[in-house]
């Protein structure tokens, strides 16, 4: 029986690029840089318990959150690799207060959460990297502007995540569908393992931090009660699954179907998750996989960004589940 040909991430990207003869190859080179940094971060994550990189780095990031050492390492690795590649003119990161200017002659902007779910590092739970790539608006060679970095999600040219779980995977889209690649450490490369990912249109999993139940909007509380109410005809009660690591919760729901919610709360009126390097990239992937991502009013990718580390409420996953939630968000009854 003919052995199945392994398609590496590099080969897949080259094949995709060949479909666009006019492309310069710069985007492919940024993927090369992200792939390299992902393998280095993967190595550090896998040995986190063995060397002194666990625990708090001591600094506090722009979000006011304690920075774990692995956060800092991951941020430095991605910046170093992308900077050395020379194909990025500016980078924004959860771990950087301001825009990180790079090659002014390059045309791509990268937005990145270098290690999301960092509170899970010390307990060996799944964590991830999330990235988003835009084409600059200002002319090449000129100074990169804040407007270059604050573009709507609909302007993304690529988005993806790395999940450091039971295996390490890269899942990404360039607008031509969603594909997943699993790291084969024996050959040191990511290999196509999940071609053309499509999220189930409906699902039985809901993901939300129920500790926030008393302080989230009434309409969302009503929807969560719906999820818990037994009804065989609609496969309820649904299953509650919440790891507290966006990439892990997102990836499970992408493959199995489900809805992930981080609503606004009384203490976080615009939610917790960041628009530019968490919600927009996940929304792009979801829409390419046939899912839906909203902020409670409209498409996440239509939100006009106003600041680098802006937070938005987010409800995303299987289209039918998000649409069911929308009936609650739009219903006047729940509001009474
Ligand atoms: P909470 C991790 O800190 C993170 O940014 C996301 O990965 C995750 O989905 C969310 O916060 C969890 O937040 O408030 O439920 O602990």
């Amino acid at each position: 029986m003919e052995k199945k040909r392994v398609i590496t991430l590099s080969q897949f990207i080259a094949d995709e690029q060949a479909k666009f003869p006019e492309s310069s190859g710069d985007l492919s080179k940024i993927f090369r840089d992200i792939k390299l940094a992902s393998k280095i971060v993967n190595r550090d994550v896998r040995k986190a318990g063995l060397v002194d990189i666990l625990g708090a780095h001591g600094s506090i990031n722009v979000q006011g959150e304690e920075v774990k050492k692995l956060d800092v390492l991951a941020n430095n690795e991605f910046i170093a690799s992308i900077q050395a590649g020379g194909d990025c003119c500016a980078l924004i990161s959860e771990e950087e207060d301001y825009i990180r200017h790079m090659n002014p002659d390059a045309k791509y902007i990268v937005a990145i959460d270098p290690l999301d779910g960092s509170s899970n590092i010390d307990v060996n739970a799944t964590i991830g990297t999330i990235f988003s790539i835009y084409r600059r608006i200002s002319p090449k060679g000129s100074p990169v502007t804040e407007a270059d970095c604050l573009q709507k999600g609909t302007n993304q040219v690529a988005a993806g995540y790395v999940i450091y779980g039971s295996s390490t995977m890269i899942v990404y889209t360039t607008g031509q569908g969603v594909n997943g690649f699993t790291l084969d450490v024996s050959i040191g490369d990511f290999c196509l393992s999940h071609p053309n990912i499509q999220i189930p249109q409906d699902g039985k999993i809901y993901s939300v931090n129920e500790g926030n139940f008393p302080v989230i909007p009434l309409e969302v509380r009503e929807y969560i009660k719906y999820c818990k109410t037994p009804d065989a005809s609609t496969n309820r009660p649904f299953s509650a699954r919440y790891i507290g690591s966006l990439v892990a919760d997102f990836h499970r729901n992408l493959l199995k179907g489900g809805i992930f919610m981080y609503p606004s709360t009384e203490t976080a009126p615009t939610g917790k998750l960041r628009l530019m390097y968490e919600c927009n990239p996940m929304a792009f992937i979801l829409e390419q996989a046939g899912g839906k991502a909203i902020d409670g009013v409209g498409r996440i990718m239509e939100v006009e960004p106003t600041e680098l580390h802006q937070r938005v409420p987010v409800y995303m996953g299987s289209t039918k589940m998000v649409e069911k939630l929308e009936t609650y968000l739009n219903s006047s009854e729940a509001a009474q």
Side-chain angles (χ1 to χ4, degrees), residues 116-119 209 212 242 244-247 249 260 262 272-274 278:
D116 179 75
S118 50
S119 54
N209 181 340
N212 293 329
Y242 192 74
S245 183
L246 174 60
V247 173
D249 285 314
F260 176 93
Y262 209 108
K272 175 180 183 182
L273 300 186
R274 294 77 162 180
E278 288 178 336

Side-chain angles (χ1 to χ4, degrees), residues 47-284:
K47 68 180 184 184
L50 299 175
V51 296
D52 182 23
I53 55 173
L54 290 180
H57 180 65
S59 61
I60 301 295
N61 70 17
V62 68
Q63 322 299 335
E65 294 166 348
E66 193 174 67
V67 176
K68 300 276 185 187
K69 285 179 183 172
L70 216 44
D71 282 345
V72 176
L73 276 174
N75 189 52
N76 295 344
E77 286 303 340
F78 280 99
I79 288 176
S81 180
I82 292 169
Q83 176 122 38
D87 296 289
C88 173
C89 57
L91 176 141
I92 63 173
S93 165
E94 183 192 40
E95 301 302 335
E96 298 286 320
D97 295 355
Y98 309 106
I99 296 170
R100 190 75 177 249
H101 292 271
M102 295 191 170
N103 177 4
D105 297 323
K107 66 183 174 193
Y108 288 113
I109 307 267
V110 174
I112 191 164
D113 185 352
L115 204 61
D116 179 75
S118 50
S119 54
N120 290 291
I121 293 172
D122 293 357
V123 296
N124 203 17
T126 295
I127 48 184
T129 298
I130 310 169
F131 62 89
S132 176
I133 303 174
Y134 292 84
R135 197 171 284 108
R136 71 186 296 174
I137 302 167
S138 57
K140 283 169 70 170
S142 66
V144 171
T145 64
E146 191 164 72
D148 283 321
C149 300
L150 290 179
Q151 299 182 52
K152 288 201 310 190
T154 47
N155 288 3
Q156 293 174 93
V157 295
Y161 59 85
V162 188
I163 180 168
Y164 311 97
S166 48
S167 66
T168 297
M169 284 185 67
I170 287 184
V171 176
Y172 83 92
T173 185
T174 56
Q176 314 296 320
V178 179
N179 293 280
F181 300 78
T182 300
L183 179 63
D184 181 341
V185 291
S186 68
I187 63 171
D189 211 341
F190 288 91
C191 302
L192 182 64
S193 54
H194 296 68
N196 189 28
I197 297 174
Q198 289 290 300
I199 186 171
Q201 283 300 291
D202 209 346
K204 290 182 54 181
I205 292 171
Y206 73 100
S207 307
V208 65
N209 181 340
E210 297 221 34
N212 293 329
F213 188 83
V215 294
I216 60 178
L218 172 63
E219 300 86 342
V220 183
R221 298 206 298 267
E222 291 302 309
Y223 173 71
I224 292 171
K225 287 180 195 167
Y226 164 84
C227 293
K228 296 172 184 267
T229 304
D231 174 55
S233 69
T234 51
N235 291 316
R236 289 180 290 144
F238 296 155
S239 296
R241 292 286 183 274
Y242 192 74
I243 299 170
S245 183
L246 174 60
V247 173
D249 285 314
F250 181 92
H251 186 70
R252 178 201 53 243
N253 292 357
L254 179 69
L255 299 186
K256 291 181 175 284
I259 185 169
F260 176 93
M261 300 174 275
Y262 209 108
S264 57
T265 67
E266 285 171 7
T267 50
T270 56
K272 175 180 183 182
L273 300 186
R274 294 77 162 180
L275 175 63
M276 297 310 294
Y277 40 78
E278 288 178 336
C279 298
N280 266 333
M282 293 317 210
F284 189 16

